[in-house]
Amino acid sequence: MIAKIKTRVDFGGIVNYANDQKNKKKCATLLAHEGVCAISNKLIADSFYLQASMRPKVKSPVKHVSLAFSSQDISRFPDNEEGDALMVEIAKKWMEQMGIRNTQYIIARHHDTKHPHCHLVFNRIDNDGNLISDSNERIRNAKVCRALTKEYGLYFAPKNSKARNKSRLRPHQLRRYNLRSSVLDARVNSRSWTDFISTLKGQDIDMRFNHAENSDKIRGISFCMDEFSIAGSKLDRDLSFNSLCATLGDVTAELIIQPHQAITLGGGGGTNNEQGWRDDKNKDNPRNEPFYKPSKCRR
């Protein structure tokens, strides 16, 4: 289960989208509503506008949430009263745990994708004229979705799932996705740094230990494949240097790493790009610096 949250200005447009019952592809069904006149989309929007007028200075009172479930859970959400009831129950629990209470909302189900999903539209101005906070909503949303997925026994996609639709990724997203998938696979299949490096070599992935400025202490790790390089911590939290040490052991006890050394494993490295990956053939030059140089604060 995932929830995508967007803040909007206009109730009319988003209500027409969420509850577009004229669109044969969507086949939208209004499953539940609270505090609005649901005779028509116009009256629903007017109900939202009327309550939002209690706080005219709030420029974006609309919240639109898309609640999507895995295609693996189709059997849990059949197109009948039972499936609709479960979807509404989960949507209401999501709102409750996100602190969205005492306000207007509508929940509409769409049928235009293979995975079950519904759209939730709610008013940030509650019934008492108070503003519903959306601070840290992304972090809170991720935690709530994980908790509800576990509570209802819904499908948990593997972290390194290959099921993602690659055809929808942009070129730079695809490069990052492929690198992340390959390194995560190598991590899972390795019991030591030697195994890890050997597996990366077979994937033509280069690895670099990044050192603190003017120090031999390792401060991070980076990976490069097909001229795309990125710090492990930015690629995935499980690929940060500390996480890899927790999984593979103490690197300094297993390998002898020289300052600014890149573990060149295949054809993926030795190139300049926007990430700063550089060839180490002149590594003895004192002017050479670590791959990621800490930025200096300017006053």
Side-chain angles (χ1 to χ4, degrees):
M1 168 186 170
I2 60 174
K4 295 182 180 180
I5 309 173
K6 294 184 179 181
T7 305
R8 303 294 188 186
V9 177
D10 175 58
F11 282 107
I14 200 61
V15 168
N16 284 332
Y17 173 80
N19 192 37
D20 187 0
Q21 298 181 6
K22 296 180 180 179
N23 188 317
K24 295 182 179 180
K25 185 177 181 180
K26 289 181 183 177
C27 272
T29 305
L30 186 62
L31 302 182
H33 58 86
E34 182 70 35
V36 298
C37 181
I39 296 177
S40 67
N41 285 348
K42 183 180 184 305
L43 290 177
I44 291 175
D46 288 344
S47 302
F48 279 129
Y49 282 126
L50 182 61
Q51 182 155 304
S53 66
M54 290 192 289
R55 296 290 295 271
K57 292 185 178 180
V58 178
K59 296 182 179 180
S60 302
V62 190
K63 281 290 185 179
H64 170 218
V65 184
S66 174
L67 292 176
F69 305 90
S70 171
S71 56
Q72 302 286 335
D73 292 320
I74 289 179
S75 61
R76 299 289 304 279
F77 300 96
D79 189 12
N80 55 29
E81 291 184 4
E82 181 182 353
D84 292 345
L86 179 59
M87 193 170 287
V88 170
E89 180 181 332
I90 294 175
K92 287 183 177 181
K93 276 199 175 184
W94 181 89
M95 285 193 290
E96 177 67 25
Q97 295 184 22
M98 287 291 290
I100 303 164
R101 310 179 184 92
N102 190 39
T103 193
Q104 301 167 306
Y105 67 82
I106 63 170
I107 301 173
R109 180 173 183 175
H110 287 188
H111 301 83
D112 55 344
T113 61
K114 293 182 179 180
H115 60 272
H117 73 286
C118 64
H119 292 265
L120 164 67
V121 181
F122 69 88
N123 201 334
R124 291 186 65 207
I125 311 304
D126 70 14
N127 300 334
D128 299 321
N130 299 316
L131 178 65
I132 296 176
S133 174
D134 59 0
S135 62
N136 298 319
E137 67 178 6
R138 291 186 178 182
I139 297 175
R140 293 187 289 118
N141 173 46
K143 292 180 179 179
V144 171
C145 285
R146 284 196 297 268
L148 290 176
T149 300
K150 183 177 181 179
E151 178 182 347
Y152 284 88
L154 300 175
Y155 177 74
F156 261 114
K159 185 164 188 178
N160 195 23
S161 175
K162 297 292 191 302
R164 187 172 179 180
N165 189 352
K166 294 185 180 182
S167 63
R168 301 182 63 181
L169 297 178
R170 297 178 180 177
H172 72 279
Q173 294 175 323
L174 182 60
R175 290 190 302 171
R176 179 176 181 138
Y177 176 80
N178 288 337
L179 179 57
R180 176 179 178 273
S181 298
S182 297
V183 180
L184 281 173
D185 282 342
R187 172 183 173 274
V188 171
N189 297 321
S190 302
R191 295 185 178 182
S192 66
W193 281 97
T194 302
D195 291 344
F196 186 57
I197 292 172
S198 177
T199 304
L200 292 180
K201 181 178 180 180
Q203 300 290 330
D204 289 333
I205 299 174
D206 290 350
M207 184 182 75
R208 178 189 297 275
F209 291 101
N210 306 317
H211 294 74
E213 189 173 16
N214 299 323
S215 171
D216 292 346
K217 184 177 180 180
I218 299 175
R219 60 181 290 269
I221 193 169
S222 302
F223 302 94
C224 178
M225 182 174 69
D226 296 333
E227 300 186 1
F228 173 75
S229 58
I230 188 172
S233 58
K234 293 183 179 180
L235 197 60
D236 191 281
R237 70 175 66 182
D238 287 341
L239 298 179
S240 68
F241 177 68
N242 289 335
S243 294
L244 287 171
C245 283
T247 303
L248 304 176
D250 183 6
V251 66
T252 57
E254 185 175 349
L255 305 173
I256 300 177
I257 308 300
Q258 300 298 327
H260 318 329
Q261 180 179 354
I263 310 300
T264 305
L265 308 173
T271 180
N272 288 319
N273 60 22
E274 69 277 5
Q275 296 292 339
W277 195 275
R278 60 172 176 80
D279 194 340
D280 268 9
K281 62 182 179 180
N282 295 320
K283 65 181 180 180
D284 295 328
N285 189 329
R287 295 181 63 184
N288 285 339
E289 296 176 342
F291 175 43
Y292 283 110
K293 180 179 179 181
S295 60
K296 295 182 180 179
C297 297
R298 294 183 179 179
R299 297 183 180 274

